[in-house]
Amino acid sequence: MTVLCITLSCTDVNDGVMDILSSVPPRSADPHLRERIINTAAQLLATEGAVSARRLARELGTSTMVVYTHFGGMDELTRQVMRRGFADFGTELDRGAVTDDAVADWMTYLWSYRRFALREPHLYGVMFGPGLAAFRLGDPADLEAARSTFVSLLRRIHACVNAARWEVDDVTTAGEAVWSGVHGHTTLELTGFFGSVGRDPVRSYSEILTRMSIGLGDHALATARSLSTARRRAVRADRAEAASAR
């Protein structure tokens, strides 16, 4: 009797296992788990600056395989966190209607900006953190997702100019100044700064919007009326959001 002996190296075994795994169709993604992964990854990225599959799995109470099952790897998960963030951010910003008060519409946009950041602090922190530059330089669709929210702001500035409320020579520069101001205030508010010094962030945010509008050419009384309109809209939106969360 002839005995055939076959010796397999570790590499052969590993390659065979990977061949088998690659031939197995991926199981359908659980949408609830997928959202948990994205939200948890956003939190870890914002608070710890980086996240590994092992760290994420420990936080979720799952195996590391769930990351690869749902996203294929950590790089794609990070991109999905950013994409989801900018998509949701854009939806929030564009929710306000276009009315005959262009400055109130602009202010409504900026109250929506603040609402999103306060509701999604970890996601907001990731979106505007160190990874933003790399995200914008990647897939053209990612660049468009990031740019679209800023372009939305520029449209509102144009509307204020067209309504003869403001005088702006360079709309893009004006947009950069506005974005920098509200981003700075929002970032401070997320740190808990205003509460720690006993100041009202709503009052200071209103003051920023007022000074910006007047600085861009509006009359003080007209700006005050627009601020009152935008603030009422923001309060209604805040209440509706709180009611839907119950």
Side-chain angles (χ1 to χ4, degrees):
M1 181 177 65
T2 303
V3 179
L4 178 62
C5 294
I6 302 175
T7 302
L8 295 176
S9 68
C10 291
T11 300
D12 293 330
V13 173
N14 289 335
D15 288 345
V17 170
M18 292 307 297
D19 288 341
I20 293 171
L21 288 176
S22 64
S23 67
V24 177
R27 58 188 178 85
S28 59
D30 175 354
H32 300 296
L33 179 55
R34 184 181 177 86
E35 283 300 299
R36 280 184 60 214
I37 295 170
I38 291 175
N39 291 336
T40 304
Q43 179 177 353
L44 293 176
L45 283 166
T47 56
E48 301 180 8
V51 59
S52 66
R54 187 183 300 276
R55 175 72 182 90
L56 182 60
R58 186 165 67 249
E59 193 72 18
L60 290 166
T62 64
S63 71
T64 57
M65 186 55 69
V66 298
V67 174
Y68 301 96
T69 298
H70 289 268
F71 300 97
M74 291 303 300
D75 288 345
E76 181 59 24
L77 171 57
T78 301
R79 282 192 291 271
Q80 288 297 328
V81 169
M82 300 282 278
R83 288 170 187 165
R84 209 290 296 274
F86 279 106
D88 290 355
F89 192 39
T91 299
E92 183 74 40
L93 294 178
D94 289 333
R95 187 169 293 167
V98 176
T99 71
D100 59 0
D101 188 339
V103 173
D105 295 345
W106 169 79
M107 291 178 171
T108 300
Y109 169 99
L110 296 176
W111 284 112
S112 297
Y113 183 112
R114 175 178 176 268
R115 181 183 307 109
F116 177 87
L118 296 182
R119 186 182 67 236
E120 304 282 0
H122 299 301
L123 193 55
Y124 181 83
V126 173
M127 289 162 55
F128 294 102
L132 177 58
F135 179 74
R136 289 172 59 89
L137 294 172
D139 190 315
D142 295 340
L143 172 60
E144 181 58 29
R147 283 188 71 252
S148 63
T149 52
F150 182 66
V151 171
S152 181
L153 171 61
L154 299 187
R155 285 199 300 268
R156 282 160 176 76
I157 295 175
H158 269 296
C160 294
V161 174
N162 292 337
R165 295 284 297 272
W166 293 351
E167 296 180 5
V168 178
D169 295 327
D170 185 339
V171 170
T172 300
T173 299
E176 291 167 348
V178 169
W179 197 287
S180 298
V182 297
H183 175 70
H185 185 283
T186 301
T187 301
L188 273 177
E189 187 171 359
L190 288 174
T191 68
F193 167 78
F194 293 103
S196 69
V197 297
R199 302 294 295 174
D200 180 4
V202 171
R203 181 175 179 178
S204 60
Y205 198 72
S206 298
E207 186 69 11
I208 287 176
L209 304 190
T210 297
R211 295 302 167 189
M212 284 181 176
S213 179
I214 294 173
L216 290 167
D218 202 19
H219 295 291
L221 185 58
T223 286
R225 286 196 294 263
S226 293
L227 177 64
S228 179
T229 298
R231 188 70 198 116
R232 286 196 299 271
R233 294 175 187 172
V235 169
R236 286 197 298 269
D238 290 342
R239 287 174 178 169
E241 185 172 281
S244 65
R246 295 193 189 110

